[in-house]
């Protein structure tokens, strides 16, 4: 599979001319392109009620992500990623937030800046504290992520996860275990991970009482769960994806609105068409409108058995 097919292609990360010195950090190049894309969206006036709500949600989510970057180094952070719409939005927001973080050292500034002028030593406490402060960690070259596959995964989901792993420079670990043993094994293999970004929203199962930062419950592997998109609504998720032209899993164009495994996930009956229309796709022998045409949060999981 060459890559995601719907929407605009992910930004290119490698140019045609060879770098004069060291090769550029491709993830940082991508992040700066995504940041510019999000900034343009935020700065473009609109009278669309949903898009204005998306702008407000982006600002809140960026604040949560920035706080996570202040609390944790890149090697202490990971992303729960399964190719679904919510964690896709979260992934784009994380990548678009990295260039603005004062907690990371840009590879560009590290390679292009001139060495500092020699200054006479100072005995002031402030100067001593500044001298003792470690430099910020370098801009990461990949973003850690964990994909916990359902027992019976969709081929389209696996293909989309593989394509976006390459496109967005993820350091992806895939597990076929249930969630708790998968997390236990992952943290055993990566003991530095202290926090995991999760794309859970308020209307998801077990999402009603979550906050932006929540420790895992008793009896589970210990880490901080970070929920930047917890208060996003269904329409806002799709408003963001479509306004920015982000490629998404093709199952969403076939009437699926919430993705699990092939044994418990079906096209959403609220999107069923009586007759074929120009915007509908055929699934299970019937025609369904695309997921982005659904508007109500409460109908999002009508295609899920659990």
């Amino acid at each position: 599979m060459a890559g995601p097919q719907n929407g605009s292609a992910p930004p290119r990360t490698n140019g045609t001319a060879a770098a004069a010195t060291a090769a550029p950090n491709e993830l940082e190049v991508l992040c700066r392109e995504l940041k510019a894309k999000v900034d343009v969206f935020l700065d473009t006036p609109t009278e669309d009620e949903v898009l204005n709500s998306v702008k407000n949600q982006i600002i809140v989510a960026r604040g949560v992500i920035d706080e996570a970057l202040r609390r944790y180094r890149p090697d202490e952070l990971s992303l729960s990623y399964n190719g679904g719409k919510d964690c896709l939005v979260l992934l784009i927001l994380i990548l678009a937030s990295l260039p603005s973080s004062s907690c990371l050292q840009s590879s560009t500034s590290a390679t292009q800046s001139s060495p500092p002028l020699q200054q006479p030593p100072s005995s002031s406490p402030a100067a001593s504290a500044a001298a003792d402060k470690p430099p910020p960690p370098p801009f990461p070259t990949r973003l850690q992520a964990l994909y916990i596959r359902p027992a019976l995964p969709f081929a389209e989901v696996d293909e989309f996860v593989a394509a976006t792993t390459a496109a967005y420079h993820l350091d992806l670990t895939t597990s076929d275990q249930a969630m708790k043993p998968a997390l236990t094994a992952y943290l055993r293999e990566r003991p530095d991970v202290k926090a995991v970004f999760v794309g859970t929203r308020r209307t998801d199962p077990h999402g009603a009482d979550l906050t932006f930062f929540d420790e895992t419950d008793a009896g589970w592997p210990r880490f901080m769960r970070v929920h930047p998109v917890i208060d996003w609504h269904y329409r806002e998720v799709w408003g963001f994806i479509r306004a920015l032209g982000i490629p998404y899993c093709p199952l969403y164009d076939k009437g699926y609105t919430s993705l699990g495994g092939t044994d418990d996930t079906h096209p959403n009956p609220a999107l069923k068409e009586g007759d074929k229309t120009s915007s509908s796709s055929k699934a299970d022998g019937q025609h369904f409108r695309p997921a982005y045409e659904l508007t109500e949060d409460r109908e999002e999981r009508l295609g899920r058995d659990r």
Side-chain angles (χ1 to χ4, degrees), residues 63 73 101 122 129 140 156 165 173 175 187 288 297:
R73 302 189 312 271
S101 174
S122 172
E156 293 93 334
T165 292
T173 297
S175 177
L187 295 177
F288 293 85
D297 289 342

Side-chain angles (χ1 to χ4, degrees), residues 149-167:
R149 298 172 77 232
L152 296 171
F154 283 93
E156 293 93 334
V157 173
D158 278 353
E159 291 169 2
F160 182 75
V161 168
T164 49
T165 292

Side-chain angles (χ1 to χ4, degrees), residues 1-16:
M1 182 175 179
Q5 299 301 309
N6 48 22
S8 59
R12 293 182 58 196
T13 58
N14 50 343
T16 56

